[in-house]
Amino acid sequence: VYEDEAGQAQEGTIAVDPRTLQSMGVRTAKAEVRELGRTIRAVGKVTFDERRLTVVTTKISGWVERLYVKAGGDPVRRGQNLISLYSPELVTTQEEYLLALRHLKSLEKSGLPEYQEAARRLLTATRQRLRYWDIPESQITALERTGEVKKTLTLVSPVSGIVVKRQVTQGMMVQAGMPLLEVADLSTVWVEADIYEYELPWVKVGQHAHMTLTYLPGETFHGTVQYIYPYLKEATRTARVRLSVPNPGLKLKPEMFAQVEIVSPVREPAVVVPAEAVLDTGDKQHVFVALGGGRFEPRPVKVGLRGSDGLIQVLSGLKGGEEVVTSAQFLLDSESRFREAIAQMLKGGEAKGAPAEKAPAMPPGHKH
């Protein structure tokens, strides 16, 4: 290491002999202005789409007279019969409805409007009670037409899907509000993946993602980022990301693991350098800029996002086309600190060797 022969090197720079540079293994790279992107890889777990889960329940108590679904895992279609319930309360209400209907018809020619109105209100209230129990309008109309009381209420599937929970058996007594079956629409599933905290700036809702499974080699599934959970896992310091993935053929099954890749959008062109060129002291970052002729300048910079290709964004302190050191910069850093320390010592010595100012002369006649 030597000083510039033409005089002292510029303040803040260091000069290194070319042979010494070669033995130190100093390598450089140019700062580029280019777009920065990142692909985030994580392990995901397939789960049910909670928005496509439906619980089949009843609003009336009774007994399971017939169970059309024999086991969990059975596929069902929208409108398919699931359970027939016998309910004494349902039978009584239908009989009350028929009685109110006959009473209203008998009062139509009576000429007593107040009695007709009371019978009409009774009929409406009884009909409304049947509606509250989800008795279909077609069944109420058939009751009016035929006068035949149905002793069972048939529950149908509100969606097409797979029965994932069956909580009743044939002949069982059920109470109003009790969950009987749970049906899942698996045409779309969720995939939940954990990503690291520093990867969060790259992930946005709506981004494209694709995934593969070990049991289906060579097949790729595509989805989108639907939600980013607003908290981290305490143990792993990772954030959970939810993907929505179409599931044709029901190949994706809940509880499966998958390899997920989230493709981040390409950022606007910015100055980027290899990540190894940046020296990070904890409170600040700097790089060594190669000035040519064996001269180097330590320069503070402000860095931004890290790309997946080993590049890091430089927000300030560097321009495109400048050459930075990518290896052995720690040796240059120690040399720079050594020179700084020597300069401080020299300044301190000069201050100590300076002649002291003369004390002002005492005025004549002054005595202590």
Side-chain angles (χ1 to χ4, degrees):
V1 179
Y2 65 96
E3 293 289 350
D4 193 339
E5 293 176 358
Q8 294 293 323
Q10 293 181 5
E11 187 176 353
T13 65
I14 58 174
V16 182
D17 182 87
R19 287 175 296 179
T20 307
L21 281 178
Q22 188 175 2
S23 63
M24 289 170 62
V26 174
R27 293 195 301 271
T28 61
K30 282 192 176 182
E32 301 178 81
V33 178
R34 53 174 285 188
E35 296 173 333
L36 197 64
R38 189 180 183 96
T39 299
I40 297 169
R41 295 173 176 85
V43 176
K45 184 178 180 181
V46 181
T47 65
F48 294 104
D49 184 341
E50 294 177 4
R51 299 173 186 176
R52 294 173 180 264
L53 287 174
T54 303
V55 175
V56 178
T57 185
T58 175
K59 298 177 181 177
I60 190 171
S61 300
W63 284 262
V64 179
E65 187 165 281
R66 184 175 180 185
L67 187 61
Y68 296 91
V69 178
K70 300 302 181 183
D74 285 356
V76 294
R77 301 181 310 277
R78 182 184 179 92
Q80 178 180 328
N81 293 343
L82 298 178
I83 298 172
S84 288
L85 287 178
Y86 163 67
S87 172
E89 191 176 1
L90 174 62
V91 173
T92 301
T93 304
Q94 290 179 90
E95 290 173 346
E96 289 177 1
Y97 184 78
L98 291 176
L99 184 61
L101 183 62
R102 287 194 293 267
H103 183 55
L104 177 60
K105 288 181 179 179
S106 66
L107 292 174
E108 284 180 351
K109 299 179 181 179
S110 65
L112 300 171
E114 61 277 9
Y115 288 102
Q116 292 176 0
E117 182 61 27
R120 191 174 292 108
R121 286 200 301 268
L122 178 61
L123 180 66
T124 301
T126 311
R127 186 186 188 94
Q128 193 62 40
R129 198 188 318 165
L130 291 172
R131 286 174 176 167
Y132 286 156
W133 289 338
D134 293 335
I135 306 300
E137 197 68 32
S138 59
Q139 188 171 329
I140 298 176
T141 303
L143 176 64
E144 293 177 358
R145 187 179 68 253
T146 64
E148 293 180 4
V149 174
K150 299 284 187 181
K151 72 169 189 175
T152 59
L153 167 65
T154 300
L155 303 178
V156 300
S157 178
V159 295
S160 297
I162 304 295
V163 176
V164 294
K165 286 184 183 178
R166 198 197 74 169
Q167 297 176 286
V168 292
T169 54
Q170 193 154 318
M172 182 178 175
M173 196 270 181
V174 297
Q175 298 290 338
M178 176 180 171
L180 309 178
L181 301 170
E182 188 171 352
V183 180
D185 178 3
L186 295 178
S187 60
T188 299
V189 294
W190 286 351
V191 177
E192 294 186 336
D194 292 338
I195 64 172
Y196 292 107
E197 189 174 350
Y198 66 84
E199 294 173 324
L200 278 173
W202 290 97
V203 182
K204 304 295 180 187
V205 172
Q207 281 179 217
H208 175 261
H210 56 269
M211 50 180 278
T212 56
L213 294 91
T214 54
Y215 98 105
L216 287 173
E219 190 163 353
T220 303
F221 297 86
H222 299 270
T224 55
V225 177
Q226 186 184 74
Y227 187 69
I228 303 171
Y229 288 83
Y231 53 83
L232 300 183
K233 287 184 177 180
E234 184 178 357
T236 59
R237 306 303 301 167
T238 54
R240 179 167 293 181
V241 176
R242 181 203 300 161
L243 312 177
S244 179
V245 183
N247 189 20
L250 305 186
K251 294 180 180 179
L252 299 176
K253 308 181 191 313
E255 301 303 319
M256 279 184 169
F257 287 101
Q259 298 296 324
V260 177
E261 290 189 359
I262 303 173
V263 182
S264 70
V266 175
R267 302 280 173 164
E268 293 295 325
V271 177
V272 296
V273 296
E276 59 268 22
V278 180
L279 292 174
D280 194 339
T281 62
D283 58 345
K284 60 183 179 179
Q285 300 88 29
H286 65 274
V287 298
F288 278 93
V289 180
L291 303 177
R295 292 182 300 115
F296 300 91
E297 175 193 356
R299 188 181 299 175
V301 293
K302 184 178 180 182
V303 298
L305 298 172
R306 289 177 178 263
S308 57
D309 46 4
L311 300 177
I312 189 168
Q313 182 184 26
V314 179
L315 301 176
S316 63
L318 201 62
K319 296 178 181 179
E322 292 188 291
E323 202 161 350
V324 295
V325 178
T326 58
S327 67
Q329 63 266 55
F330 287 101
L331 296 175
L332 297 177
D333 185 50
S334 62
E335 176 67 19
S336 175
R337 292 176 185 274
F338 176 72
R339 290 178 180 274
E340 185 179 350
I342 292 295
Q344 292 294 334
M345 290 174 60
L346 291 176
K347 287 181 181 178
E350 289 174 3
K352 189 177 292 185
E357 292 183 5
K358 272 188 179 181
M362 293 294 179
H366 178 80
K367 293 181 180 179
H368 287 287

